[in-house]
Amino acid sequence: MNRKIRFTMWLGGLLSLVLGLVAFGQSGSIQTGWFTVDYPQGWSPDEESISDEESYAKALFYTGEDLQAADTTVRVTATREDADSFRDTLIGRDISLESYADGSARTVSISGVSFAVPESGEEGIPVYLYRHVPSGVSYTVSVDGDRGNSAVSDLLSGISLTLTDEGNVDPPWPWEGQPFTPKLAPQMAGSYTITPAYLPFQESQAVQGIMDHQIARIGNTVYHLYADKLTAYDDSTGELVFVSSLELDDDYEYLSADQSGMLYVSQGIFEVIGVKDGQKVMQTTISGDLVMHPSGQWGISFWVNSDTQRVTNHGDSLSAEPWILTGLTDDQARQGIFKMLQDVAVTDQHILVAGNLADESADTKIAVYDSEGNQRMLLGGSEISDPDCLGWITGMVETANGFMAADGNMRRLYFWSKDGNFIGVIQVKDLLGTDYPWLEDMQLMEDGSVLLALTQEREDESADELMLFRLTGF
């Protein structure tokens, strides 16, 4: 081979190498119906992560040779969604609705608009959030990796949002909305007339979350647990007047009280703490949701399909031992009739357990046990056509005349006599004038009446309203 041919081959190989280096990390553009990203050299789009649909678009970009070995990734998404979903995301990212609405939240500028930054954004993967109200589209930009790298700023500067006014108008912010007004009407359950009374909060309680609210009442104080906040209200005037609020170290999901004034606050599979007079006074190793007997001497802890425990109060500490419902997930080892538990109530005389049967029907039933754990009754219909066919029980009480249960799924109240005979059922919408309420919790009051907590979406869709009612007549 002569020198000229060898030189030509070398030059061609060098040219191919140079072209290959230029191709690696080359600039380009990705366009969707909701945004365009002009990415600079050093960034590459992940083709499998690009989507452009009628109501959703996403794109993922990375630095490095491939996605698996990427130093940094940036994901851009756009979603057509309702305002409530976006507001839930803000709250979940520790961005208050008030700070987002008035512009006081931390922000970064992308495509000429302000994206909100979570206060905890310095840790983990930062997420930037923005909602374009006229189109009803919410945008999210997340950065995983070295976000201080100038290459990230270069990529973010290449994002352009396609903002089209489609006439969308979001509902008012919760503090601007109109509280829900119930319309009360007594209803019959068998021969009983159930009469409701509204216990309004002095300041309307607009909430974002549903099916996560717990209540307890001691004397004239009503306690409300939601996530990491335990709030006390005085109800002696016929309305709920704010008294105090205790910020907890973590989110909690279940609330129980005894006659001494102790509140037992449960996390589910994690710890139970004791709170009294607005102060945390007990730290325990008890797991599950703890329901105490009114005396405070003992109680039952449960959680979904975990073993139930009988809990004993030693004054400054609690101990636990297995109760009669164990091995719920094991057909061979199971003790008792349930494979999943929904709720437990401990009354003066009985232990009420709501759950799904372990047989093929998986029906929801309420078993009534005595204090020794002997089953005395089984409440609830077996056919879908039965008026007492149960869905998901969110509250149970034993009154002077029998048993009462709140069904969060069916939005009904059920009544049985002391010997377990079914008396009747009431639709909550007929009793309270609600539209599509979520029955949160139910507690027996000292005078024998029943306190019912529910959430209901406001008519202007600004938020869900937390409301409490006192029921008498049974």
Side-chain angles (χ1 to χ4, degrees):
M1 183 180 297
N2 62 38
R3 183 180 302 174
K4 184 176 181 179
I5 292 175
R6 287 199 303 269
F7 176 77
T8 301
M9 292 180 63
W10 174 83
L11 182 62
L14 178 62
L15 180 61
S16 296
L17 176 61
V18 170
L19 289 175
L21 291 173
V22 170
F24 174 71
Q26 66 180 354
S27 61
S29 181
I30 296 295
Q31 183 173 1
T32 74
W34 306 108
F35 58 81
T36 298
V37 181
D38 297 321
Y39 56 91
Q41 288 189 1
W43 288 92
S44 302
D46 178 43
E47 299 295 339
E48 295 183 357
S49 299
I50 297 174
S51 177
D52 187 12
E53 307 296 336
E54 182 177 353
S55 59
Y56 179 80
K58 65 176 181 177
L60 177 66
F61 303 86
Y62 63 90
T63 59
E65 295 185 2
D66 54 49
L67 181 60
Q68 287 68 35
D71 301 315
T72 307
T73 62
V74 173
R75 185 184 303 272
V76 183
T77 63
T79 308
R80 189 193 299 278
E81 62 181 1
D82 58 33
D84 193 56
S85 296
F86 178 71
R87 294 172 186 180
D88 284 344
T89 301
L90 287 176
I91 293 172
R93 293 289 183 177
D94 294 326
I95 301 173
S96 74
L97 300 187
E98 292 85 351
S99 66
Y100 183 88
D102 64 20
S104 63
R106 293 174 56 201
T107 60
V108 297
S109 180
I110 300 175
S111 188
V113 299
S114 295
F115 278 67
V117 182
E119 290 300 323
S120 57
E122 295 303 320
E123 301 176 1
I125 301 174
V127 176
Y128 311 136
L129 303 167
Y130 168 71
R131 179 166 175 80
H132 183 245
V133 175
S135 64
V137 176
S138 301
Y139 291 89
T140 302
V141 177
S142 59
V143 181
D144 186 7
D146 183 10
R147 54 184 177 277
N149 191 323
S150 61
V152 173
S153 299
D154 292 342
L155 179 65
L156 297 185
S157 66
I159 298 175
S160 300
L161 307 184
T162 305
L163 306 178
T164 305
D165 188 344
E166 298 187 14
N168 178 69
V169 177
D170 278 354
W173 292 100
W175 55 91
E176 299 172 340
Q178 292 297 314
F180 186 88
T181 302
K183 299 176 178 62
L184 309 183
Q187 299 293 315
M188 297 290 292
S191 61
Y192 294 98
T193 299
I194 308 303
T195 301
Y198 184 33
L199 296 178
F201 289 91
Q202 189 177 51
E203 294 186 10
S204 174
Q205 296 297 299
V207 297
Q208 288 298 117
I210 58 173
M211 300 304 285
D212 290 318
H213 300 268
Q214 291 279 294
I215 56 171
R217 186 175 185 269
I218 302 173
N220 287 322
T221 304
V222 174
Y223 295 91
H224 169 230
L225 173 67
Y226 178 68
D228 62 350
K229 184 177 292 186
L230 180 63
T231 309
Y233 298 89
D234 181 88
D235 70 353
S236 59
T237 63
E239 66 176 355
L240 296 162
V241 180
F242 174 82
V243 175
S244 64
S245 183
L246 176 64
E247 294 284 344
L248 305 172
D249 295 334
D250 205 343
D251 288 351
Y252 289 78
E253 68 175 31
Y254 208 83
L255 184 63
S256 178
D258 64 30
Q259 294 168 345
S260 75
M262 179 73 80
L263 296 166
Y264 302 88
V265 190
S266 306
Q267 276 192 305
I269 59 175
F270 300 114
E271 67 178 11
V272 176
I273 63 173
V275 174
K276 193 170 186 179
D277 299 326
Q279 301 290 327
K280 179 180 173 181
V281 296
M282 183 186 294
Q283 180 78 44
T284 80
T285 58
I286 301 299
S287 62
D289 292 329
L290 176 58
V291 189
M292 290 299 286
H293 185 270
S295 67
Q297 295 179 3
W298 62 276
I300 301 294
S301 72
F302 73 100
W303 194 77
V304 190
N305 53 17
S306 298
D307 290 354
T308 59
Q309 301 177 95
R310 183 182 173 97
V311 175
T312 301
N313 191 346
H314 301 284
D316 57 354
S317 64
L318 305 177
S319 64
E321 59 184 3
W323 193 54
I324 60 171
L325 303 175
T326 59
L328 275 67
T329 60
D330 189 334
D331 291 340
Q332 303 301 319
R334 181 183 299 110
Q335 297 293 317
I337 63 174
F338 295 110
K339 65 178 179 181
M340 181 177 293
L341 305 180
Q342 300 175 9
D343 199 14
V344 173
V346 179
T347 75
D348 280 331
Q349 302 178 19
H350 296 100
I351 301 166
L352 313 181
V353 179
N356 299 97
L357 295 179
D359 60 26
E360 293 182 359
S361 72
D363 288 341
T364 295
K365 297 285 187 179
I366 298 173
V368 180
Y369 300 90
D370 61 25
S371 59
E372 301 301 320
N374 302 303
Q375 183 178 319
R376 297 303 185 186
M377 285 169 272
L378 192 62
L379 311 179
S382 298
E383 302 295 332
I384 195 168
S385 58
D386 291 341
D388 59 341
C389 179
L390 309 178
W392 190 273
I393 300 303
T394 55
M396 298 175 290
V397 296
E398 182 176 4
T399 71
N401 295 314
F403 306 98
M404 180 179 173
D407 192 323
N409 274 8
M410 307 298 287
R411 296 166 177 82
R412 296 173 180 170
L413 300 176
Y414 302 95
F415 302 84
W416 295 269
S417 66
K418 278 287 191 182
D419 56 8
N421 290 323
F422 179 62
I423 293 175
V425 59
I426 290 177
Q427 294 281 357
V428 172
K429 65 178 182 179
D430 297 331
L431 184 70
L432 305 177
T434 50
D435 177 31
Y436 200 73
W438 298 94
L439 308 189
E440 304 278 347
D441 196 9
M442 187 167 66
Q443 298 292 325
L444 184 69
M445 299 171 73
E446 293 175 358
D447 63 0
S449 61
V450 173
L451 187 63
L452 175 68
L454 60 82
T455 48
Q456 162 69 53
E457 186 178 34
R458 291 175 171 175
E459 293 182 4
D460 62 9
E461 300 180 357
S462 59
D464 288 295
E465 190 91 20
L466 175 65
M467 296 182 288
L468 269 62
F469 300 87
R470 178 172 175 263
L471 308 180
T472 58
F474 177 65

